[in-house]
């Protein structure tokens, strides 16, 4: 008997029929002798519908009070899901009980719409598991120290599931999605993309941070920190598939770096359309400038990604960085109101027509010239690089958005990711 966490995305919960299939699948695992905790997302489209209603009624300049109510509203989608799934499991003859995040409780900080989990009280969960119940917990949400409902941001149910798995020391966390695993890149862009049987946590972390939508980055961070094995697999396989076959399917995100992984210089190509570039022009080239610029942005709870500073000319320089596209307008406001007057900068400009493309692979540690090979490939396609960011196992470039698909396809070919490989190819 194992302690297993299942997470189901919004597509899996999209109708009563699909919820019934989820219940049958969970019941199969229970009857096989496993203790089960389930973390479902809201029904497909429900969160967007709720946020759309809020947008229609929103004040001209939303403040913290607005974002508090946004979380209060958005969290109701998951509450519907857990109640319906508990009822469906009861119809299968399985004892089940559902909880909202605040009932567990899952404690977070107070950063509305993108809160971070601080602790999870596992006492209630363990008591129900010991009593033979399936425990169903809302994903995407928690409660802050003031008793306010908070949400974790897009994809937050992945984070909830992995965090719960870490808190209860689960044997494995299975993430059921509308894809059947992690691919070398998005098959919608490159039809030749291959499913990976396994990928290291480091690679998955880079893939998630660089734009891969399979898992939210914070869920991978949690898994790495608390060593929670994750398997990404499809929720559209028949619910009555053999449980041993199901337990081996999809992609395993693992801690071990075996020899087969090292054979691939690059394991995947990630890309992100959701970025925007911000440039502060004509700032004094002196110590502390970066801290002043990025400090103001951080104080506004805006995350910064790629950063570059140009060569100084006449004591002035340009400072550029990327943010999420949804944060562009707010970033420009912060800089124009707080930074430009303080620094005497010439101007602040934003560009939402960019994207980020990244190559990722632990094999890059032991191979030289990988980045130059990437740059040469892009140059041959006539693609200009605006910004570059590197780490030990990844290289990212910021390019014009219109060249994104061309870049991804070219790099996928350049690093032979479209070629069958016994060590990496999915079953």
């Amino acid at each position: 008997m194992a302690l297993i966490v299942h997470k189901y995305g919004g597509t899996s919960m999209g109708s009563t029929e699909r919820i019934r299939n989820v219940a049958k699948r969970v019941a199969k695992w229970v009857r096989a002798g496993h203790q089960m905790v389930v973390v479902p997302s809201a029904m497909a489209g429900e969160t967007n519908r709720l946020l759309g209603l809020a947008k229609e009624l929103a004040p001209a300049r939303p403040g913290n009070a607005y974002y508090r109510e946004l979380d209060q509203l958005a969290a109701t989608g998951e509450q519907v899901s857990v109640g319906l799934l508990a009822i469906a499991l009861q119809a299968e003859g399985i004892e089940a009980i559902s909880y909202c995040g605040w009932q567990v409780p899952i404690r977070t900080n107070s950063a509305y719409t993108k809160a971070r989990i601080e602790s999870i009280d596992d006492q209630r969960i363990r008591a129900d598991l010991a009593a033979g119940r399936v425990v169903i917990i809302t994903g995407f949400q928690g409660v802050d120290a003031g008793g306010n409902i908070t949400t974790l941001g897009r994809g937050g149910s992945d984070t909830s599931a992995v965090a719960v798995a870490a808190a209860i020391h689960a044997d494995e966390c299975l993430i059921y999605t509308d894809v059947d695993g992690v691919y070398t890149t998005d098959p919608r862009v490159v039809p030749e993309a291959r499913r990976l049987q396994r990928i290291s946590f480091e690679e998955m972390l880079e893939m998630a941070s660089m734009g891969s939508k399979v898992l939210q980055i914070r869920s991978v961070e949690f898994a790495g920190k608390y060593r929670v094995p994750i398997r990404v697999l499809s929720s559209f396989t028949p619910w009555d598939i053999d449980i041993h076959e199901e337990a081996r399917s999809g992609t395993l995100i693992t801690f071990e770096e075996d020899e087969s992984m090292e054979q691939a210089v690059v394991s995947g190509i990630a890309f992100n359309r959701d970025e925007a570039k911000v440039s502060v022009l004509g700032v004094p080239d002196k110590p502390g400038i970066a801290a002043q610029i990025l400090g103001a942005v951080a104080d506004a709870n805006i995350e910064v990604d790629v950063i570059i500073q140009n060569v100084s000319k006449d004591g002035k320089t340009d400072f550029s960085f990327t943010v999420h596209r949804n944060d562009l307008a707010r970033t420009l406001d912060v800089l124009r109101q707080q930074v430009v007057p303080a620094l005497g900068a010439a101007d602040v400009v934003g560009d939402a027509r960019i994207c980020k493309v990244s190559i990722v692979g632990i094999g890059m540690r032991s191979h030289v010239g990988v980045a130059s090979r990437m740059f040469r490939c892009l140059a041959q396609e006539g693609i200009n690089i605006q910004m570059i960011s590197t780490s030990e196992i990844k290289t990212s470039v910021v390019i014009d958005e219109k060249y994104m698909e061309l870049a991804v396809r070219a790099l996928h070919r350049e690093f032979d990711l479209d070629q069958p490989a016994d060590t990496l190819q999915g079953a």
Side-chain angles (χ1 to χ4, degrees):
M1 182 176 71
L3 176 52
I4 304 292
V5 174
H6 279 195
K7 182 267 174 180
Y8 292 93
T11 308
S12 309
M13 303 293 294
S15 65
T16 52
E17 184 57 36
R18 288 184 178 178
I19 291 172
R20 187 175 289 113
N21 286 336
V22 168
K24 289 179 182 295
R25 190 184 300 272
V26 172
K28 175 183 70 178
W29 282 74
V30 172
R31 290 173 184 134
H34 301 296
Q35 291 184 306
M36 298 295 300
V37 176
V38 186
V39 179
S41 297
M43 297 176 75
E46 181 63 9
T47 303
N48 285 340
R49 185 185 73 84
L50 294 168
L51 295 179
L53 294 173
K55 190 174 181 180
E56 288 182 29
L57 301 169
R61 285 190 171 274
N64 205 47
Y66 166 75
Y67 291 109
R68 178 198 182 275
E69 301 310 323
L70 210 58
D71 277 3
Q72 184 89 344
L73 175 69
T76 62
E78 277 71 20
Q79 186 171 344
V80 171
S81 288
V82 296
L84 290 175
L85 182 55
I87 291 168
L89 275 164
Q90 290 163 10
E92 289 291 318
I94 302 294
E95 283 193 61
I97 187 167
S98 69
Y99 293 117
C100 293
W102 60 267
Q103 292 175 297
V104 175
I106 297 172
R107 298 186 180 90
T108 74
N109 63 14
S110 299
Y112 299 121
T113 74
K114 42 186 163 184
R116 290 189 174 270
I117 295 174
E118 294 181 341
S119 66
I120 297 177
D121 188 337
D122 66 345
Q123 186 174 351
R124 202 167 191 174
I125 300 171
R126 291 193 179 281
D128 283 313
L129 290 172
R133 301 185 186 98
V134 173
V135 181
I136 308 167
I137 303 171
T138 53
F140 178 61
Q141 64 186 253
V143 61
D144 71 4
N148 302 296
I149 291 175
T150 57
T151 67
L152 310 182
R154 286 296 186 179
S157 293
D158 288 346
T159 304
S160 300
V162 177
V164 166
I168 63 176
H169 305 290
D171 294 287
E172 191 165 283
C173 180
L174 276 59
I175 309 283
Y176 288 86
T177 72
D178 53 2
V179 296
D180 61 350
V182 180
Y183 278 72
T184 51
T185 195
D186 190 334
R188 292 170 296 186
V189 175
V190 182
E192 299 80 14
R194 293 180 291 103
R195 178 168 60 83
L196 305 174
Q197 285 185 324
R198 56 170 50 206
I199 187 171
S200 74
F201 273 98
E202 287 180 275
E203 288 174 314
M204 193 65 236
L205 187 61
E206 293 287 9
M207 294 278 279
S209 68
M210 294 302 114
S212 172
K213 305 298 184 187
V214 177
L215 288 175
Q216 191 201 44
I217 182 171
R218 276 190 284 164
S219 68
V220 186
E221 289 172 346
F222 253 106
K225 183 176 181 179
Y226 295 103
R227 301 187 73 79
V228 179
I230 300 177
R231 185 174 294 275
V232 178
L233 63 172
S234 174
S235 60
F236 294 120
T237 54
W239 68 266
D240 56 353
I241 183 175
D242 179 77
I243 195 167
H244 300 292
E245 180 184 346
E246 185 173 4
R248 294 191 302 268
S249 65
T251 300
L252 177 65
I253 302 170
T254 180
F255 303 99
E256 295 84 19
E257 297 178 10
D258 61 22
E259 291 179 1
S260 67
M261 289 181 176
E262 293 178 8
Q263 293 176 15
V265 177
V266 172
S267 294
I269 313 291
F271 56 87
N272 190 352
R273 292 184 174 97
D274 298 330
E275 301 226 353
K277 184 170 74 169
V278 177
S279 297
V280 186
L281 308 178
V283 297
D285 187 17
K286 62 182 183 181
I289 292 299
Q292 283 184 261
I293 294 171
L294 298 179
V297 174
D299 289 344
N301 205 27
I302 297 168
E303 293 183 6
V304 170
D305 188 10
V306 183
I307 303 169
I308 189 169
Q309 182 172 327
N310 293 336
V311 176
S312 175
K313 183 178 181 182
D314 300 326
K316 299 283 187 178
T317 187
D318 297 338
F319 188 90
S320 300
F321 57 92
T322 61
V323 297
H324 193 283
R325 198 169 289 185
N326 292 344
D327 290 327
L328 176 59
R330 196 153 55 99
T331 304
L332 295 175
D333 282 345
V334 167
L335 294 174
R336 285 169 181 157
Q337 292 170 19
Q338 300 178 30
V339 175
V340 170
L343 296 181
D347 197 7
V348 177
V349 294
D351 182 3
R353 298 186 302 269
I354 58 108
C355 70
K356 182 173 63 177
V357 177
S358 310
I359 57 172
V360 177
I362 56 175
M364 292 169 65
R365 286 178 179 152
S366 54
H367 291 77
V368 298
V370 180
S372 62
R373 187 174 164 189
M374 177 190 195
F375 304 152
R376 184 170 59 250
C377 172
L378 295 176
Q380 289 170 349
E381 298 293 340
I383 299 172
N384 184 52
I385 298 171
Q386 299 180 26
M387 305 171 79
I388 299 169
S389 173
T390 65
S391 77
E392 194 179 24
I393 65 167
K394 74 104 172 69
T395 300
S396 302
V397 295
V398 173
I399 60 175
D400 192 306
E401 183 182 35
K402 67 184 179 183
Y403 296 120
M404 190 203 74
E405 293 194 6
L406 173 62
V408 172
R409 288 194 293 266
L411 291 168
H412 201 267
R413 287 194 305 272
E414 174 66 25
F415 291 100
D416 300 321
L417 294 177
D418 51 348
Q419 299 301 315
D422 293 339
T423 54
L424 292 176
Q425 189 174 14

